């Protein structure tokens, strides 16, 4: 009888610990330009006033919102399109967006991420490896969404990370392609520098809603399969072809 009682308690504990949430994250990608990057702007935008406005907007662009859902071994990050009524919000600016901005699925069982990418009407299925962060805890603690979180740092190649993770959610998931097996990331900031700019990407959880069961997430199989390290080259080739086409037709001579 005691064994049966103990087994029921264990089942109840597992059920209670496996809670699922729909989590909202705010993301901002800030770009600060070096002297070389600023010289590029001088060539691209002749008007000093417009150029400065563009530079400042890249330093502090509008925050974007993502919805994050997960199951036992899959998670999906989906971009939530904002309706912008302000003319300033619609001003064109150049920025680096989070990978797979319109929907990235992480498959933790196979340690890979995937997303669909449309390049001027041609659909690709992009896949790549998830990256585990080897973290070092700082000793700092706080709460996010009423959950206890622990601060830690990490470095991957030339990218520096600050993350806040919780063990109150029994999964090691993340809204980005970076994760830690220590816990569930609710806040993350990472910085990457090159000779033209310093880019800071931030993810901050702003809201959570508990759901009764895990989300049904389907892995996409549509599109030409490519590796994530091919993305930049595909966009460069497509843009070059479009520029050549416009120039040859006399549409755009710039």
């Amino acid at each position: 009888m005691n064994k049966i009682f103990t087994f029921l308690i264990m089942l109840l504990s597992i059920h209670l610990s496996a809670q699922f949430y729909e989590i909202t994250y705010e993301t901002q990608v800030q770009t600060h330009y070096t002297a070389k990057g600023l010289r590029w702007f001088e060539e691209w935008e002749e008007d000093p006033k417009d150029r400065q406005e563009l530079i400042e907007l890249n330093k502090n662009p509008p925050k974007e919102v993502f919805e994050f859902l997960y199951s036992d071994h899959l998670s999906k990050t989906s971009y939530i399109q904002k309706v912008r009524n302000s003319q300033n919000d619609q001003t064109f600016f150049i920025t680096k967006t989070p990978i797979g901005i319109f929907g990235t699925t992480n498959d933790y069982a196979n340690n890979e991420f995937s997303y669909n990418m449309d390049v001027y009407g041609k659909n690709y299925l992009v896949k790549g490896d998830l990256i585990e962060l080897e973290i070092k805890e700082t000793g700092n603690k706080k709460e996010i969404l009423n959950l206890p979180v622990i601060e830690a740092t990490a470095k991957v190649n030339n990218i520096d990370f600050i993350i806040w993770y919780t063990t109150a959610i029994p999964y090691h998931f993340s809204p980005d392609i970076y994760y830690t097996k220590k816990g569930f990331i609710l806040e993350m900031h990472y910085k990457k520098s090159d000779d033209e700019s310093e880019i800071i990407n931030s993810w901050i959880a702003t809201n959570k809603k508990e759901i009764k069961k895990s989300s049904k997430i389907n892995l996409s199989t549509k599109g030409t399969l490519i590796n994530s390290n091919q993305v930049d080259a595909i966009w460069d080739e497509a843009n070059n072809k479009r520029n050549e086409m416009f120039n040859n037709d006399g549409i755009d001579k710039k």
Side-chain angles (χ1 to χ4, degrees):
M1 184 69 179
N2 287 337
K3 289 182 179 180
I4 295 175
F5 181 75
T6 302
F7 179 70
L8 291 174
I9 291 295
M10 289 175 63
L11 285 179
L12 180 61
S13 298
I14 293 171
H15 175 73
L16 290 174
S17 65
Q19 76 267 53
F20 296 92
Y21 295 105
E22 176 185 303
I23 301 178
T24 302
Y25 285 87
E26 275 191 349
T27 300
Q28 187 178 41
V29 184
Q30 299 171 289
T31 307
H32 301 267
Y33 293 96
T34 64
K36 182 178 180 180
L38 292 175
R39 284 196 297 273
W40 179 87
F41 266 102
E42 290 177 1
E43 297 174 0
W44 187 76
E45 177 56 68
E46 296 180 356
D47 186 279
K49 182 180 178 181
D50 290 345
R51 182 168 65 244
Q52 190 58 38
E53 287 181 357
L54 193 60
I55 292 169
E56 293 300 320
L57 187 56
N58 278 272
K59 287 182 181 179
N60 190 32
K63 294 179 180 178
E64 303 295 346
V65 180
F66 289 79
E67 177 188 72
F68 183 79
L69 298 169
Y70 58 95
S71 64
D72 289 315
H73 68 282
L74 297 173
S75 70
K76 185 172 183 61
T77 306
S78 302
Y79 178 62
I80 300 177
Q81 183 71 47
K82 285 184 178 180
V83 177
R84 304 191 188 281
N85 297 318
S86 168
Q87 186 174 355
N88 290 335
D89 284 343
Q90 295 179 11
T91 302
F92 173 76
F93 63 97
I94 303 166
T95 186
K96 302 285 186 179
T97 54
I99 191 167
I101 185 171
F102 294 112
T104 302
T105 301
N106 289 353
D107 181 347
Y108 296 94
N110 293 306
N111 198 51
E112 68 178 14
F113 67 88
S114 62
Y115 63 91
N116 287 104
M117 178 179 74
D118 183 279
V119 181
Y120 304 125
K122 187 170 183 179
N123 189 39
Y124 293 90
L125 176 60
V126 183
K127 288 192 175 185
D129 294 331
L130 294 173
I131 299 174
E132 182 182 355
L133 299 177
E134 298 294 333
I135 64 172
K136 181 178 180 180
E137 294 180 4
T138 66
N140 295 328
K141 299 179 180 181
K142 64 178 182 179
E143 285 193 353
I144 299 176
L145 305 180
N146 296 318
L147 297 174
V149 290
I150 301 167
E151 185 185 43
T153 60
K155 189 176 184 70
V156 177
N157 298 324
N158 64 332
I159 309 177
D160 296 301
F161 292 81
I162 298 175
I163 70 167
W164 292 87
Y165 72 91
T166 183
T167 57
I169 301 176
Y171 299 97
H172 55 269
F173 294 171
S174 158
D176 208 311
I177 66 170
Y178 306 101
Y179 73 100
T180 172
K181 289 184 178 178
K182 293 286 187 177
F184 194 108
I185 295 178
L186 289 175
E187 182 174 333
M188 174 165 55
H189 309 272
Y190 54 93
K191 179 176 68 176
K192 181 178 181 180
S193 302
D194 55 32
D195 59 349
E196 292 186 352
S197 63
E198 177 184 85
I199 301 169
I200 302 172
N201 193 350
S202 299
W203 292 90
I204 301 175
T206 58
N207 186 56
K208 76 177 191 301
K209 180 175 70 175
E210 189 166 0
I211 53 181
K212 293 182 178 179
K213 58 182 180 179
S214 64
S215 301
K216 185 177 181 181
I217 301 172
N218 296 318
L219 292 171
S220 178
T221 58
K222 297 180 179 179
T224 302
L225 180 63
I226 62 170
N227 191 278
S228 59
N229 59 21
Q230 298 175 268
V231 169
D232 288 344
I234 287 174
W235 274 110
D236 288 343
E237 182 181 4
N239 285 327
N240 289 337
K241 286 183 178 179
R242 284 176 65 86
N243 289 337
E244 289 176 6
M245 179 184 68
F246 290 153
N247 290 333
N248 291 336
D249 290 343
I251 297 174
D252 187 356
K253 296 296 182 181
K254 295 181 182 179

